[in-house]
């Protein structure tokens, strides 16, 4: 039997498969045994109570979906007492995802959520920085550095920085997150997109633009995981369009130590178990004894890829 165990920094996971924040809820326990997943990543919470974005909040697109949910929140106290506890009854590390509007709000929220029952804090720095121009923190290495270093000072918990693919210099952003003290990088969130109803001539999302997810973004996310892998030494968790065990293997070969599955779980709530079973089958078929050996093992012509990488780092 293949060994599916992986490590993300100090944290050991029974396998590399975990849900992506916002694409998973406690009700999924009816379709999945949570004790079989690598980790449980909960929907982002923001410290301020908010209603979320105007409706409609989702729209289907070829090979993906657009969403502009907007992180509706009832605040941290409600989250601590009502949302978090059901996830802590499983023998699987719990990852709390936090979104915030400012650097200070991030630091305070992370400090407050650094609870013994929480294994990891994931900071969703793909959300808008309201102190600046509303661009996501992770669109820029400098704002990434500021946010991540403030978060680092506020917690001793393992902490992952979730980056956005809507950044032109993703390798530089990843480097800034590493230098500021992130324990790992999650690459990444949704790709900004838009869709218009040609009969009403109105945008299909109430918020006009939203995040594209699903198979449509997989090549983009995979490319960015590889750029990050070539840029940092901390572990990378790949995310974007993963639907099959083969997709997971691709992300691991590109440099991911683990992965997150988002939109695919809306199509099939049991998909993560199928992916885990598929990984066992792949390892057995290919004679892979420990899946962690796959990380970064894509075969490249080094000279060519170095040249390409320099170009990619300059041009984004
Ligand atoms: C409906 C929906 C809600 C999401 N909510 C969050 C969220 O609260 N926090 C977050 O960091 N990412 C959120 N995401 C982004 C996903 O976690 C993931 O990064 C993205 O969807 C790409 O992965 P996928 O293609 O497998 O879905 C959300 C995505 C969708 C589709």
């Amino acid at each position: 039997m293949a060994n599916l165990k992986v490590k993300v920094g100090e944290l050991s996971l029974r396998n590399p498969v975990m849900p992506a924040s916002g694409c998973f809820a406690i009700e999924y326990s009816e379709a999945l045994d949570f004790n079989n997943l690598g980790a449980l990543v909960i929907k982002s919470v923001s410290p301020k109570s908010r209603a979320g974005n105007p409706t409609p909040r989702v729209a289907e697109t070829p090979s993906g979906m657009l969403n502009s949910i907007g992180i509706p929140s009832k605040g941290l106290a409600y989250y601590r007492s009502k949302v978090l506890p059901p996830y802590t009854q499983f023998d699987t590390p719990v990852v709390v995802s936090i979104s915030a509007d400012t650097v200070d709000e991030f630091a305070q929220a992370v400090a407050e959520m650094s609870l013994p029952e929480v294994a990891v804090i994931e900071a969703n720095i793909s959300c808008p920085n309201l102190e600046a121009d509303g661009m996501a923190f992770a669109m820029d290495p400098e704002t990434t550095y500021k946010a991540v270093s403030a978060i680092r000072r506020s917690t001793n918990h393992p902490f992952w920085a979730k980056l956005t693919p809507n950044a032109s210099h993703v390798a530089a952003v990843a480097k800034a997150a590493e230098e500021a003290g992130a324990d790992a990088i999650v690459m990444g969130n949704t790709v900004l997109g838009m869709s218009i109803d040609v009969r009403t001539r109105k945008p299909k999302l109430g918020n006009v633009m939203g995040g594209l997810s699903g198979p449509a973004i997989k090549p983009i996310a995979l490319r960015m995981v590889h750029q990050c892998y070539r840029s940092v030494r901390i572990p990378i968790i790949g995310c974007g369009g993963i639907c099959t065990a083969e997709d997971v293997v691709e992300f691991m070969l590109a440099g991911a130590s683990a992965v997150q599955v988002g939109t695919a779980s809306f199509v099939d709530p049991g998909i993560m178990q199928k992916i885990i079973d598929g990984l066992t089958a792949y390892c057995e078929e290919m004679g892979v004894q420990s899946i962690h050996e796959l990380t970064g093992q894509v075969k490249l012509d080094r000279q060519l890829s170095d040249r390409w990488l320099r170009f990619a780092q300059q041009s984004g």
Side-chain angles (χ1 to χ4, degrees), residues 271-288:
I271 194 94
M272 283 187 281
Q273 185 60 60
K274 291 176 188 159
I275 291 175
I276 294 163
D277 295 343
L279 288 176
T280 303
Y282 170 86
C283 289
E284 280 168 7
E285 182 197 331
M286 301 300 292
V288 175

Side-chain angles (χ1 to χ4, degrees), residues 8-299:
V8 178
E10 295 298 303
L11 186 74
S12 294
L13 307 180
R14 64 170 67 87
N15 65 59
V17 181
M18 64 185 97
S21 177
C23 305
F24 180 69
I26 197 70
E27 290 77 12
Y28 276 64
S29 60
E30 289 168 27
L32 282 170
D33 182 351
F34 285 11
N35 290 316
N36 287 348
L37 298 177
L40 308 177
V41 187
I42 313 176
K43 164 104 188 135
S44 296
V45 60
S46 81
K48 280 202 199 102
S49 264
R50 52 185 179 202
N53 286 335
T55 58
R57 291 177 174 173
V58 293
E60 207 164 318
T61 68
S63 306
M65 69 182 269
L66 280 169
N67 91 83
S68 66
I69 309 285
I71 324 258
S73 172
K74 292 185 176 164
L76 295 184
Y78 178 87
Y79 184 89
R80 263 180 89 153
S81 63
K82 298 277 189 243
V83 179
L84 178 61
Y87 292 95
T88 60
Q89 61 186 299
F90 302 97
D91 181 28
T92 303
V94 172
V95 181
V96 164
S97 166
I98 293 177
S99 283
D101 295 341
T102 66
V103 168
D104 287 347
E105 211 177 272
F106 250 124
Q108 279 165 24
V110 168
E112 204 174 322
M113 293 313 301
S114 296
L115 305 164
E117 64 270 35
V118 173
V120 177
I121 304 276
E122 182 177 286
N124 176 18
I125 59 168
S126 325
C127 61
N129 173 5
L130 296 191
E131 268 166 335
D133 47 10
M135 304 271 277
F137 292 90
M139 278 184 175
D140 176 71
E142 211 172 301
T143 45
T144 297
Y145 188 88
K146 274 189 197 147
V148 172
S149 49
I151 293 168
R152 181 70 291 165
R153 285 194 296 274
S154 74
T155 188
N156 290 323
H157 262 53
F159 138 59
W160 302 344
K162 183 166 177 182
L163 306 188
T164 172
N166 304 312
S168 44
H169 300 282
V170 76
V173 171
K175 192 85 194 144
E178 176 179 53
E179 283 170 359
D183 293 301
I185 278 164
V186 182
M187 185 75 246
N189 215 306
T190 50
V191 176
L192 194 62
M194 184 175 169
S195 186
I196 298 172
D197 183 321
V198 293
R199 296 209 156 63
T200 64
R201 301 190 180 187
K202 288 184 180 164
K204 287 191 183 168
L205 292 177
N207 203 38
V208 183
M209 294 179 211
L212 181 64
S213 61
I217 69 167
K218 196 192 96 182
I220 301 171
L222 190 76
R223 182 262 292 179
M224 290 188 162
V225 162
H226 188 60
Q227 281 178 286
C228 291
Y229 181 71
R230 302 288 295 273
S231 167
V232 300
R233 301 181 81 88
I234 52 176
I236 297 155
I237 296 145
C239 178
I242 294 173
C243 301
T244 65
E246 285 78 7
D247 293 339
V248 177
V249 172
E250 257 189 280
F251 272 83
M252 293 188 75
L253 292 171
S257 296
V259 297
Q260 297 185 345
V261 177
T263 303
S265 289
F266 294 133
V267 181
D268 175 359
I271 194 94
M272 283 187 281
Q273 185 60 60
K274 291 176 188 159
I275 291 175
I276 294 163
D277 295 343
L279 288 176
T280 303
Y282 170 86
C283 289
E284 280 168 7
E285 182 197 331
M286 301 300 292
V288 175
Q289 280 177 357
S290 294
I291 200 163
H292 73 84
E293 291 162 17
L294 296 177
T295 297
Q297 291 308 304
V298 58
K299 290 185 180 165

